[in-house]
Amino acid sequence: MQTNPTHTSLVAIGDSFTEGMSDLLPDGTYRGWADLLAGRMAARTPGFRYANLAVRGKLIAQIVEEQVGPAAAMQPDVITLVGGLNDTLRPKCDMGRVRALLEEAVERLTPACKHLVLMRSPGRQGPVLERFRPRMEELFACVDDLAARHGALVVDLYGAPSLGDPRAWDVDRLHLTDEGHRRVAEAVWQTLGYEPEDPEWRTPMPPTPPPNWTARRVEDARFTRQYLLPWIGRRLTGRSSGDGLSPKRPDLLPYEGPAS
């Protein structure tokens, strides 16, 4: 990979992870690692263009159907693709179909850009990760295989201790905090060949005293009421948090916004 390259455009596709939840801005919109990355790239390249087609809740079939075609048509320098993790969290998940759809996406996107970036998504430490770990690791093995066969880049977030720390995750336990997104942006930045701004992004956060038993139980109750039960309800009724939502940046246009 070239060091300190020049890229003129970026298209990000995927689900809530790439949309930017839960990196909330004062105006109620989400920023996230892809916006942060675009800001850095734009600071180096006048006229830099950026599109973000990701929508929360999307499964890999929806990403392939709704986002891959438009992303490929834009012919950007860099495309990032992160998808399939929502599928692995479903009680009934056909991993063979997930792998086939991911391969279709990679085959269609590779000729459409200079660099296709795939990721091994981060995993929060705890019982949820342990329950779904076999599926997640099967997905990541597919990512590694596709990257090797098609010349894509892989960002290994799953193996980063800093992103396994519960403090890097929002109260919903599904999405990264602003600090988590900052570290992801740094990881992709370095993978693309840029000089590190934070060489220690993988380093675990400094230890802090754990919350006491009462605080943990209060937080568990809040999590169950505000996030877990609604999530289960959507699964039972076939709904998604992204139903009816459009991408926040559907067109490949010059980027304007904070670089960090």
Side-chain angles (χ1 to χ4, degrees):
M1 171 61 63
Q2 176 187 357
T3 57
N4 290 319
T6 298
H7 297 113
T8 63
S9 51
L10 165 68
V11 176
I13 66 176
D15 51 33
S16 59
F17 174 70
T18 302
E19 183 185 347
M21 296 174 71
S22 288
D23 185 7
L24 192 64
L25 294 173
D27 64 0
T29 61
Y30 292 108
R31 181 177 55 178
W33 66 265
D35 285 15
L36 291 168
L37 177 67
R40 287 192 187 187
M41 297 168 79
R44 288 180 172 239
T45 307
F48 181 85
R49 297 176 299 151
Y50 170 52
N52 190 324
L53 310 183
V55 176
R56 68 197 72 171
K58 293 299 182 181
L59 303 173
I60 186 62
Q62 295 169 307
I63 294 171
V64 171
E65 179 180 355
E66 300 167 10
Q67 300 177 27
V68 167
M74 293 176 185
Q75 298 280 304
D77 283 354
V78 178
I79 297 177
T80 65
L81 165 63
V82 188
L85 202 61
N86 281 334
D87 296 78
T88 68
L89 300 178
R90 294 297 195 274
K92 296 181 180 179
C93 173
D94 183 346
M95 287 303 297
R97 175 166 167 75
V98 171
R99 292 194 303 271
L101 287 165
L102 192 58
E103 181 163 15
E104 177 186 342
V106 170
E107 289 177 345
R108 292 169 61 185
L109 292 171
T110 299
C113 61
K114 293 180 180 178
H115 299 297
L116 176 62
V117 178
L118 309 177
M119 296 190 201
R120 294 161 56 90
S121 303
R124 183 183 189 274
Q125 295 173 0
V128 174
L129 174 62
E130 292 308 314
R131 178 179 178 184
F132 295 103
R133 186 187 295 275
R135 288 180 183 174
M136 292 172 62
E137 294 188 345
E138 184 176 349
L139 176 67
F140 299 154
C142 177
V143 166
D144 290 342
D145 175 64
L146 290 172
R149 289 194 283 119
H150 294 277
L153 303 173
V154 177
V155 184
D156 183 14
L157 305 173
Y158 182 68
S162 61
L163 294 176
D165 191 317
R167 291 171 295 174
W169 297 77
D170 192 41
V171 293
D172 67 1
R173 305 181 185 180
L174 286 174
H175 301 106
L176 293 171
T177 62
D178 56 350
E179 173 61 15
H181 280 284
R182 185 196 68 78
R183 292 180 184 241
V184 173
E186 178 67 32
V188 183
W189 174 261
Q190 292 184 26
T191 299
L192 286 169
Y194 293 99
E195 197 70 29
E197 294 189 11
D198 177 13
E200 305 299 325
W201 72 267
R202 290 176 172 269
T203 302
M205 300 180 186
T208 58
N212 60 38
W213 185 91
T214 301
R216 294 199 304 271
R217 298 296 78 79
V218 169
E219 185 58 36
D220 287 344
R222 177 190 176 196
F223 163 72
T224 299
R225 181 178 66 255
Q226 292 187 220
Y227 301 104
L228 181 59
L229 292 178
W231 184 84
I232 293 173
R234 290 194 297 272
R235 299 292 79 74
L236 293 175
T237 57
R239 294 178 291 115
S240 168
S241 58
D243 288 347
L245 296 182
S246 300
K248 63 181 180 181
R249 296 184 63 93
D251 302 309
L252 188 60
L253 298 173
Y255 177 78
E256 296 180 1
S260 60

